[in-house]
Amino acid sequence: MELKRISAFSCEGKGGNPAGVKITDRLPATHDMQATAREVGYSETAFAAPEENCWRVRYFSPEQEVLFCGHATIALGSELGRLYGAGRYDLVLNEASISVEAIKLDGKSWGAALLSPETQSTLAPASLQKEILSVFSLMRENLDLRFPLSIASAGARHIVIALKDRSILSEMTYDFEALLKIMKRDELTTIALFYVEKPDVIHCRNAFAIGGVYEDPATGAAAAALGGYFRDIGWMTEGSLTFYQGDDMQMPSVISVDITPKKGESIRVSGETRLIATQENSQNRHA
């Protein structure tokens, strides 16, 4: 089937995070998927093929394979819905099994919700904290100390850094090559910087040097990991969070996160999607 370009976690038909989606009868060879992802140029492209009663899924960034990608899963879910109808689709990843629900919205638009892999979080080692803060030119006084700098995961590992002021988040900058080296060494997928506006309203930015992309406009995997992290530290043990991301990139994105009380349990991550027009795709690739 034709490769689709779909923006996940869009906001009222705008913004979101572009992903490639390729659904085939059989998955292509690994080197072919990697080459396609590099050609598409988005932070991730999802490849899916039917396998017994589920779908086998692999994700590739322009630089390497990624174990799990939230926004590409949301994009994939919406495309499965367009092709086969609303409902639940079971997905088998390289190291986990999850599900995605295709949701029909108003008119011709679609959204999707995924249930993440299990979550866990742990305090980042002091040496790693020091390295990461240095790369981002951050000092301890820039941090919101209610939220310890940690490694959080929900199918992929992320560093999570709480900032005490929205303006600090807006000014995010970092040494790309230095961060890339750390991320490769410690097997990190993104660095998630966030600011808590209200207990249930979070503003985020995600550095994605390991994928060859400076910043992701919406990161479902990191949102799931953050949801598990908030549960682990007791900030929210049950309920819903709204994550706003991409505003500083002029690509507004909204991610809804639902948390259940049991530690480690899957996090539900949902959002709307939109198909990307050919002209917009050309502009995105040459930006």
Side-chain angles (χ1 to χ4, degrees):
M1 294 184 185
E2 175 189 359
L3 185 140
K4 295 293 183 67
R5 292 168 170 83
I6 300 170
S7 194
F9 304 119
S10 54
C11 179
E12 299 179 348
K14 300 179 181 179
N17 194 359
V21 174
K22 180 74 170 178
I23 298 174
T24 55
D25 292 333
R26 296 178 62 184
L27 287 181
T30 297
H31 63 86
D32 289 332
M33 290 188 283
Q34 184 64 75
T36 298
R38 189 173 297 114
E39 171 62 22
V40 171
Y42 294 154
S43 57
E44 275 95 7
T45 294
F47 298 85
E51 185 178 272
E52 296 181 353
N53 297 320
C54 62
W55 291 84
R56 179 69 172 97
V57 181
R58 293 175 70 179
Y59 309 92
F60 288 80
S61 75
E63 298 297 325
Q64 64 179 26
E65 186 167 8
V66 177
L67 292 178
F68 172 60
C69 175
H71 84 275
T73 302
I74 294 294
L76 171 62
S78 69
E79 183 61 12
L80 289 170
R82 287 187 186 93
L83 293 172
Y84 306 110
R88 170 178 164 153
Y89 295 88
D90 293 323
L91 312 179
V92 175
L93 315 184
N94 283 2
E95 296 185 3
S97 295
I98 64 171
S99 66
V100 65
E101 179 187 0
I103 303 169
K104 187 71 167 68
L105 304 177
D106 295 336
K108 297 181 179 180
S109 61
W110 286 83
L114 66 85
L115 287 176
S116 77
E118 293 182 349
T119 71
Q120 62 178 352
S121 62
T122 184
L123 188 68
S127 58
L128 179 57
Q129 292 190 38
K130 184 177 180 180
E131 282 184 292
I132 290 291
L133 293 179
S134 175
V135 167
F136 282 87
S137 300
L138 292 170
M139 296 178 286
R140 290 286 172 183
E141 50 263 40
N142 300 136
L143 307 183
D144 186 338
L145 299 180
R146 296 175 297 175
F147 306 96
L149 198 157
S150 299
I151 300 172
S153 68
R157 285 159 49 92
H158 310 263
I159 293 287
V160 295
I161 306 173
L163 302 175
K164 70 176 184 181
D165 192 278
R166 179 67 179 86
S167 64
I168 301 172
L169 184 65
S170 297
E171 295 164 0
M172 183 192 85
T173 185
Y174 67 90
D175 183 324
F176 189 93
E177 293 301 326
L179 184 61
L180 176 60
K181 182 178 179 180
I182 294 170
M183 295 180 80
K184 285 183 175 180
R185 183 195 70 200
D186 288 68
E187 298 182 332
L188 301 169
T189 300
T190 74
I191 311 300
L193 286 77
F194 66 95
Y195 165 71
V196 177
E197 178 186 340
K198 299 176 183 178
D200 59 350
V201 176
I202 317 294
H203 297 267
C204 303
R205 298 186 75 173
N206 284 77
F208 189 43
I210 199 166
V213 176
Y214 190 83
E215 181 178 2
D216 240 358
T219 319
L226 267 170
Y229 164 81
F230 285 131
R231 177 172 57 194
D232 288 346
I233 65 172
W235 177 257
M236 178 176 283
T237 55
E238 184 175 14
S240 298
L241 296 166
T242 301
F243 289 70
Y244 292 99
Q245 195 176 331
D247 289 331
D248 297 286
M249 303 173 65
Q250 289 72 56
M251 296 183 72
S253 307
V254 181
I255 305 173
S256 297
V257 172
D258 296 309
I259 300 171
T260 56
K262 186 177 178 181
K263 282 190 176 182
E265 219 168 38
S266 295
I267 299 292
R268 186 177 188 270
V269 178
S270 60
E272 69 173 49
T273 68
R274 63 182 181 87
L275 287 169
I276 297 174
T278 302
Q279 182 180 6
E280 180 186 353
N281 178 62
S282 177
Q283 291 172 344
N284 285 339
R285 289 194 47 167
H286 292 89

